[in-house]
Amino acid sequence: MIRAENLSWGVPGRLIVQDISVAFPATGITAIIGPNGSGKTSLLHLVAGLRPPLSGRVWLGDRRLTELSPRGRARRIALVEQHPSTELDLSVRQVVELGRIPHAGGWPGARDPDRAAVEQAMAIAAVEPLVDRRWQTLSGGERQRVHLARALAQRPQVLLLDEPTNHLDLAHQIDFLERVRGLGMCTVAVLHDLDLAAAFCARVVVLDRGRVHAAGPIAETLTAELVGEVFQVRAAVTRTDRLRVLWSRS
């Protein structure tokens, strides 16, 4: 569905991602994991089209991402940022309705060809009880779920998530990832919790110092040896009812 080809990007004096080629399939969640500073969020932003690469390209299907207008990209790719915020005094419904701008336009009175998208997105993200709340009154976890609803209201083909479980307690982490997995769409998620990645993701891309260290089906790729090499911790990767990752510093 979406793939990176020989991507490199950085800041003056330092490359942050180097020569990355990786493909994300049309269904299922692919986790991007790696130590801090390995280029995970930078890769996600490159795939989203938010940053132009220094070299390489991103393909959405058989089209280069650069062939699409910003509005065309927003109709196909939705990004949920790590720290969603706004200074505007908006209700939850108004935040979710922002996801319809690529389809209906941003001017007052613009006609939306799919007005049901907002209601359906709020139902999937389980934010209907929050619909009349003001954005500034929401907890971090509530904001994350509202921004998932906003992203789903875009009706994207590709969903990009940057550390989506950071503000959630364990029960809500599980609920969030179950809902995302149930969408059945091309989803790419930057995750720090290796056990959550093992539980919910079909594939994994492992970054280390700006390069792809490994990539493939998570059950085959995420091994104790790999965790030791990349994260410098001792780990046990087992399969009982599901793939599990246990770690130890000793």
Side-chain angles (χ1 to χ4, degrees):
M1 169 58 70
I2 194 164
R3 61 187 174 91
E5 181 181 277
N6 304 123
L7 281 187
S8 294
W9 179 84
V11 295
R14 183 166 72 97
L15 280 177
I16 294 175
V17 296
Q18 303 177 54
D19 196 30
I20 289 180
S21 294
V22 66
F24 304 103
T27 60
I29 306 176
T30 299
I32 300 178
I33 64 173
N36 289 343
S38 59
K40 300 182 297 296
T41 295
S42 295
L43 175 58
L44 203 69
H45 286 176
L46 288 163
V47 170
L50 298 183
R51 292 172 174 165
L54 296 177
S55 61
R57 56 186 61 86
V58 177
W59 296 86
L60 182 59
D62 58 358
R63 299 184 66 182
R64 292 187 186 184
L65 204 60
T66 52
E67 295 176 6
L68 301 174
S69 67
R71 182 183 239 188
R73 289 199 305 270
R75 287 178 172 179
R76 296 164 174 83
I77 301 172
L79 171 65
V80 177
E81 296 273 21
Q82 182 180 163
H83 301 293
S85 64
T86 179
E87 299 301 319
L88 300 176
D89 182 25
L90 300 176
S91 70
V92 165
R93 177 179 292 278
Q94 288 171 324
V95 172
V96 179
E97 287 174 343
L98 294 175
R100 299 304 303 159
I101 289 176
H103 300 274
W107 60 91
R111 184 177 181 85
D112 187 347
D114 187 7
R115 299 180 66 180
V118 170
E119 304 298 332
Q120 292 169 357
M122 290 194 296
I124 293 170
V127 299
E128 292 165 306
L130 308 175
V131 65
D132 294 320
R133 291 267 303 276
R134 311 309 293 179
W135 169 260
Q136 304 300 344
T137 71
L138 301 179
S139 69
E142 289 169 335
R143 291 183 180 190
Q144 201 73 352
R145 284 162 47 213
V146 170
H147 265 281
L148 173 63
R150 186 268 309 157
L152 296 179
Q154 291 176 230
R155 301 282 204 201
Q157 299 169 2
V158 178
L159 179 63
L160 306 177
L161 307 171
D162 191 5
E163 299 187 32
T165 59
N166 271 12
H167 303 292
L168 305 180
D169 60 38
L170 181 58
H172 285 97
Q173 289 177 348
I174 294 169
D175 179 72
F176 185 97
L177 290 173
E178 283 178 339
R179 290 175 186 276
V180 169
R181 184 171 62 182
L183 298 172
M185 70 169 64
C186 176
T187 303
V188 184
V190 171
L191 294 171
H192 274 296
D193 189 317
L194 301 187
D195 194 50
L196 282 177
F200 290 99
C201 300
R203 298 182 64 82
V204 66
V205 175
V206 185
L207 297 186
D208 190 19
R209 289 168 286 187
R211 296 182 180 274
V212 174
H213 182 90
I218 198 162
E220 300 171 12
T221 308
L222 189 61
T223 64
E225 292 76 17
L226 180 141
V227 174
E229 290 171 6
V230 175
F231 294 94
Q232 305 301 306
V233 297
R234 181 174 295 175
V237 180
T238 63
R239 178 177 287 282
T240 52
D241 56 324
R242 63 169 177 84
L243 194 67
R244 296 180 180 274
V245 179
L246 303 174
W247 58 265
S248 170
R249 291 289 287 175
S250 59

